[in-house]
Amino acid sequence: MSKLRFPEGFIWGVATSSYQIEGAWNEDGKGESIWDRFSHTPGKIEDGTNGDVACDHYHRWREDIALMKSLGIEGYRFSVSWPRILPRGRGEVNQAGLDFYSRLVDGLLEAGISPFLTLYHWDLPQALQDEGGWPARATVEAFAQYADVISRHLGDRVKHWITHNEPAVAGFEGHLTGRHAPGIQDWNAALRAAHHLLLSHGWAVPIIRGNSRDAEVGIALNLVPAVPASASAADFHACRHFDGYLNRWLLDPLYGRHYPADMVASYMAQGHLPAGGLTFVHDGDLDTIASRTDFLGVNYYTRRILRDENAPDNLPQTTFPAPDSERTEMGWEVYPDGLYDILNRLRFEYQPRKIYVTENGASYSDRPDTDGRVRDHRRVDYLRTHLAAAHRAIQNGVPLAGYFVWSLIDNFEWVKGYTQRFGIVWTDYETQERIPKDSALWYKDTIAQNGF
Ligand code: FCB
């Protein structure tokens, strides 16, 4: 492979989120979050664990910044725990919570690392859940206060803001499949939640701009390219429907196109929406949601191949079963071209002004060898091939400005608990020792050369 060089100024980063790494779940005035409640509920997390301690980053943040600095990391995407700042979700501010993030941001800047701050990576204050959570419109107002408090305190130093991480997951895994907190299973609640997540993004954008001069503001979506399993009409339809459910339902309103009409019709036909349709959409909401952003964050892991199993006349039979693709330990197909596809599609269909890959990475559990080294070569291959795909997209004119590996360190992987390791740095959960894996060393070289 010839040498790949990335554009000058390209940001090489790593990503984490509050609940997955911080621990200190009830310290210094922090309120309970829906993930505290959910993970403390027996049967919800596969290995019966929780994020009470996680990577203990709340106490080890200095060490973690030093680690990033030693790898040459240029951007750190982290999230703020809302209930650390507003223990009851709205109203009284917890100064200790603000101080923690303020010190973290100062430490990052001292280390020459740009903070990319995500306001919401799923840890809603439980107090707001008790008042209805995201399906309730009042939560949007609470989020606006939260966005204001944070951006007023950190806006002088943080210049990259992400309102939400993966509203589709928060909306649909949280309220439709119930696999995530708060564990609700209800179509109407899920669609309301997704709408309020988007609306709260739209409300927050001008608030953040007002408090943080010259800041870049965006949102991070999990985008999954969909492919029909065969040339049959039924599979094509299933594919289009999945794309509408997961990708277009968010992208279309964010880019000024209203909710996709085919999906609204389908949801109404299936009784997922009441007879009145999108009754939770008020006048002006769609303009708010479409407020101009500076970038789109793309979280990319894999693609989906869709087959309509319920159509009796679904012929021809499957012609595209993703033959013997490699899979990560999450069971996700390794498919670097999907990143290329989604970046190009965004450029042609939605034209974001700028894109960051805000998450990309792989779960492999390679552990330290007897010599203490973690030889995670499959992760190196994953990162290299996905970065090569991103590079091709840049050459096609995609305005990709940076890339964030998920994740800096092994951490609490939601319903999977600690069974999945996404880090380029090994976390020893007994001792809290961090060991940079071979992938971290490879990434360090890549950053130093601005390519590989
Ligand atoms: C994404 C989440 C992130 C992490 C990765 C593996 O959906 O945003 O927190 O769990 O998946």
Side-chain angles (χ1 to χ4, degrees), residues 134-377:
W134 284 112
R137 196 172 168 98
T139 301
V140 181
E141 282 158 36
F143 184 79
Q145 189 207 343
Y146 165 56
D148 182 46
V149 169
I150 293 286
S151 56
R152 242 181 315 117
H153 280 80
L154 303 177
D156 54 336
R157 289 158 287 159
V158 174
K159 295 298 169 189
H160 297 89
W161 295 82
I162 294 161
T163 53
H164 283 285
N165 179 69
E166 304 189 349
V169 173
F172 301 134
E173 296 294 333
H175 304 83
L176 179 59
T177 70
R179 280 169 47 82
H180 279 200
I184 292 167
Q185 296 181 317
D186 176 79
W187 263 104
N188 192 42
L191 293 169
R192 295 177 68 89
H195 179 66
H196 294 144
L197 285 155
L198 289 178
L199 183 62
S200 71
H201 154 82
W203 279 16
V205 170
I207 294 174
I208 297 167
R209 287 224 177 89
N211 289 333
S212 184
R213 200 182 292 267
D214 305 325
E216 281 191 346
V217 189
I219 187 168
L221 302 182
N222 52 310
L223 297 173
V224 179
V227 188
S230 79
S232 75
D235 287 350
F236 176 82
H237 187 75
C239 177
R240 177 93 184 136
H241 193 269
F242 174 81
D243 183 56
Y245 163 73
L246 197 79
N247 301 322
R248 289 184 289 124
W249 194 260
L250 296 297
L251 282 167
D252 281 11
L254 284 168
Y255 286 89
R257 301 183 189 175
H258 205 294
Y259 286 106
D262 60 324
M263 298 307 296
V264 175
S266 157
Y267 289 157
M268 286 186 67
Q270 293 175 78
H272 299 339
L273 282 168
L278 301 168
T279 48
F280 47 79
V281 178
H282 295 194
D283 279 355
D285 281 6
L286 288 157
D287 289 337
T288 303
I289 291 172
S291 61
R292 192 182 56 80
T293 48
D294 302 289
F295 66 87
L296 178 66
V298 175
N299 295 356
Y300 175 78
Y301 291 93
T302 191
R303 69 168 164 179
R304 266 289 284 276
I305 297 168
L306 279 302
R307 174 138 185 96
D308 183 347
E309 303 289 349
N310 300 319
D313 55 346
N314 188 358
L315 294 170
Q317 269 301 323
T318 306
T319 58
F320 193 180
D324 1 82
S325 329
E326 200 197 315
R327 288 174 185 273
T328 68
E329 287 173 29
M330 288 293 277
W332 296 345
E333 183 192 1
V334 177
Y335 188 65
D337 281 348
L339 178 57
Y340 174 80
D341 294 344
I342 202 75
L343 291 174
N344 281 310
R345 176 187 182 188
L346 290 170
R347 175 180 177 225
F348 290 118
E349 285 185 37
Y350 296 97
Q351 290 146 4
R353 305 162 91 207
K354 198 190 251 196
I355 300 177
Y356 293 104
V357 171
T358 36
E359 286 182 27
N360 178 235
S363 166
Y364 292 115
S365 56
D366 308 274
R367 48 180 46 255
D369 286 337
T370 43
D371 61 358
R373 210 172 122 187
V374 184
R375 294 173 169 81
D376 59 335
H377 295 169

